[in-house]
Amino acid sequence: MHPMTELPVPRPSACPGLLRIVQALDGGICRVKLPGGVLAASQARAIAEAAQRFASGVLELTNRSNLQIRGVRAESEQELIRSLLEANLGPSVLDADDVRNLMLSPAAGLDPQQHMDTRPLADALLALLQNNSALHVLSAKFAIQLDGGESLCMLEHPHDLWLRALPGAPQLIFGLAGCPTDKPLGMVAAANAVQLVEAILLTFLECAVPEQSRMRQLLECIPADELVRRVQARLPFAISPVAVECQRQIPAAAPPIGIIAQRQAELAMVAASAPLGRISAEQLGAVAELAQRHADGSLRLTPWQGLLIPNVQIHEADNVLAALTQVGLLTNRAAPLPNLIACTGSAGCARGLADTKHDALALAACLQQHDAHPQVHLSGCSRSCAAAHVAPFTLLAVGDGLYQLYERAANVAGFGQPLAPPMNIDEAGAWLAQHHATGRTHA
């Protein structure tokens, strides 16, 4: 717990944090970063209470397994922050909140297919990011992914640095400005991973100019192999070339829903989706109670904007899933709504050109009538805040109640290939229902 002294002034940024509440049309946004996406039931209850006392009671689950409190009242900001710090939801070093951007599988340590339990290494990497003050100047968007080979994982979100465990020997391959499915740049022993990451981050900071806040921007000026050579000069061990083919397959991108067996005998994860990434404080409190009563008292947020309760006894899993349905979370994999992503839209964001949350509900109703459930991202503007990856279909608001429909396509930048002239949400629903049902992808 942090002593209740005067809070530090966070550096300017458009990214919300625990200490930096960013204003939106519906009030302030406070982002709580969760180590490995893990949230204790007691912490979940503290967030729910704080959201009710100091904000609107509306919570968002983010696409990097974090949580946001929306509608924070201006006069309550400091009280909200202090209540979250008292619940041990802040960084170990207050100035380091921005750099705690490390994404794991929500099933880390539990997945039957994992090559490595990434949690101890994740703890060490988070300690590095917080304890090395030289790293605190990294952009609030600069992010790392640690992939343990789990079957339950999000591999399509690009990160500034990624590491992936290999089967067999404890080794990690790594790459820059991409995903664990990309071609790696080198390989190290897992025991050397923290030193490698530190060297990469310090080299990045040494080479980047202020306008280059992300790794992809630096790589536009310095080739990746040259950057790796500079990293090697900092290390007392050799970065090995990757001599074998180690292609990582992308698992099915559908959000995890239902009962998922763990590697631990007789235990399961019970997963549900939050409707369009939002839940109420009351719902979070109810889920925390379920985790306390039926499992080990912890929750895990997922990068599909959902959550799961781990370590549930197999014989209780059906009851827990039914209880999550009663709470109002989505547990029917075949329904359209769990496959829809929508940003805040014009109801909460000044840049939004459409009320995307409202339109997504209308789209789900249309798709339900046709028994179709394509994966669709509704974006109120081109920034794509709600999805770090390109969805199979994107509806981009273009104003006047119209959306441009895109389909993801290989070698096509941005959202992909436009499929039809701009259309309203009812027309988009009819188009998607027809073409998804028939298997066609183009008009």
Side-chain angles (χ1 to χ4, degrees), residues 25-76:
L25 294 182
D26 56 346
I29 303 172
C30 178
R31 180 176 296 161
V32 184
K33 295 182 178 180
L34 305 176
V38 177
L39 183 64
S42 59
Q43 293 175 315
R45 283 192 287 268
I47 291 172
E49 180 182 349
Q52 290 173 311
R53 288 183 62 196
F54 307 121
S56 65
V58 174
L59 304 167
E60 287 181 327
L61 312 185
T62 78
N63 56 42
R64 296 197 188 275
S65 304
N66 294 316
L67 185 148
Q68 294 183 164
I69 301 172
R70 294 198 70 94
V72 179
R73 296 187 292 275
E75 70 277 7
S76 300

Side-chain angles (χ1 to χ4, degrees), residues 344-401:
T344 301
S346 58
C349 176
R351 299 196 186 194
L353 298 178
D355 188 349
T356 50
K357 297 285 191 192
H358 177 271
D359 288 345
L361 294 176
L363 177 62
C366 175
L367 295 172
Q368 183 73 50
Q369 294 175 359
H370 296 86
D371 193 28
H373 42 89
Q375 294 179 40
V376 186
H377 169 209
L378 288 84
S379 188
C381 75
S382 60
R383 293 188 302 164
S384 187
C385 295
H389 68 290
V390 177
F393 294 97
T394 298
L395 284 168
L396 175 65
V398 293
D400 297 325

Side-chain angles (χ1 to χ4, degrees), residues 43-388:
Q43 293 175 315
R45 283 192 287 268
I47 291 172
E49 180 182 349
Q52 290 173 311
R53 288 183 62 196
F54 307 121
S56 65
V58 174
L59 304 167
E60 287 181 327
L61 312 185
T62 78
N63 56 42
R64 296 197 188 275
S65 304
N66 294 316
L67 185 148
Q68 294 183 164
I69 301 172
R70 294 198 70 94
V72 179
R73 296 187 292 275
E75 70 277 7
S76 300
E77 289 183 358
Q78 295 300 301
E79 291 177 282
L80 172 70
I81 293 169
R82 291 180 188 279
S83 69
L84 297 175
L85 292 176
E86 288 174 356
N88 292 320
L89 287 160
S92 59
V93 178
L94 281 178
D95 289 335
D97 185 48
D98 277 347
V99 298
R100 296 187 300 152
N101 301 323
L102 175 64
M103 194 170 87
L104 312 180
S105 163
L110 311 177
D111 196 299
Q113 303 302 315
Q114 71 183 32
H115 305 319
M116 169 187 176
D117 183 348
T118 58
R119 292 174 296 176
L121 177 54
D123 290 342
L125 291 174
L126 284 169
L128 166 69
L129 290 166
Q130 294 177 91
N131 295 333
N132 187 335
S133 60
L135 303 179
H136 296 178
V137 299
L138 286 167
S139 165
K141 294 182 179 294
F142 196 99
I144 302 171
Q145 181 169 16
L146 179 55
D147 172 25
E150 299 90 354
S151 58
L152 181 57
C153 57
M154 166 56 81
L155 299 182
E156 294 185 289
H157 289 182
H159 285 71
D160 295 276
L161 165 62
W162 58 265
L163 303 102
R164 174 158 69 88
L166 295 178
Q171 293 180 310
L172 294 167
I173 56 176
F174 71 92
L176 304 175
C179 308
T181 53
D182 296 336
K183 183 178 180 180
L185 297 175
M187 179 171 62
V188 299
N192 292 330
V194 175
Q195 280 184 281
L196 172 72
V197 170
E198 183 174 34
I200 289 174
L201 298 182
L202 291 174
T203 302
F204 170 81
L205 291 173
E206 178 183 85
C207 297
V209 298
E211 294 75 23
Q212 296 168 334
S213 61
R214 304 297 301 276
M215 185 66 74
R216 66 176 184 273
Q217 296 166 332
L218 179 60
L219 293 180
E220 291 173 358
C221 301
I222 300 178
D225 55 354
E226 170 60 25
L227 202 61
V228 171
R229 282 194 290 271
R230 298 187 189 193
V231 170
Q232 178 65 84
R234 292 179 179 268
L235 295 172
F237 55 86
I239 297 172
S240 301
V242 182
V244 297
E245 176 63 30
C246 51
Q247 185 68 30
R248 176 73 154 108
Q249 296 299 313
I250 298 179
I257 286 178
I259 299 168
I260 305 166
Q262 293 183 196
R263 63 189 294 112
Q264 295 82 6
E266 303 301 320
L267 294 179
M269 300 169 272
V270 182
S273 180
L276 301 176
R278 285 193 174 177
I279 60 173
S280 68
E282 293 86 352
Q283 286 175 310
L284 181 60
V287 175
E289 178 63 27
L290 288 172
Q292 194 83 55
R293 189 186 319 142
H294 296 285
D296 65 354
S298 71
L299 311 173
R300 298 193 181 192
L301 273 63
T302 79
W304 295 271
Q305 297 175 290
L307 52 81
L308 59 83
I309 300 176
N311 299 310
V312 177
Q313 294 288 333
I314 287 287
H315 66 273
E316 292 194 62
D318 284 328
N319 291 334
V320 174
L321 188 65
L324 290 174
T325 306
Q326 287 296 112
V327 166
L329 298 181
L330 305 177
T331 58
N332 180 3
R333 185 183 299 275
L337 194 54
N339 293 293
L340 303 185
I341 304 169
C343 67
T344 301
S346 58
C349 176
R351 299 196 186 194
L353 298 178
D355 188 349
T356 50
K357 297 285 191 192
H358 177 271
D359 288 345
L361 294 176
L363 177 62
C366 175
L367 295 172
Q368 183 73 50
Q369 294 175 359
H370 296 86
D371 193 28
H373 42 89
Q375 294 179 40
V376 186
H377 169 209
L378 288 84
S379 188
C381 75
S382 60
R383 293 188 302 164
S384 187
C385 295

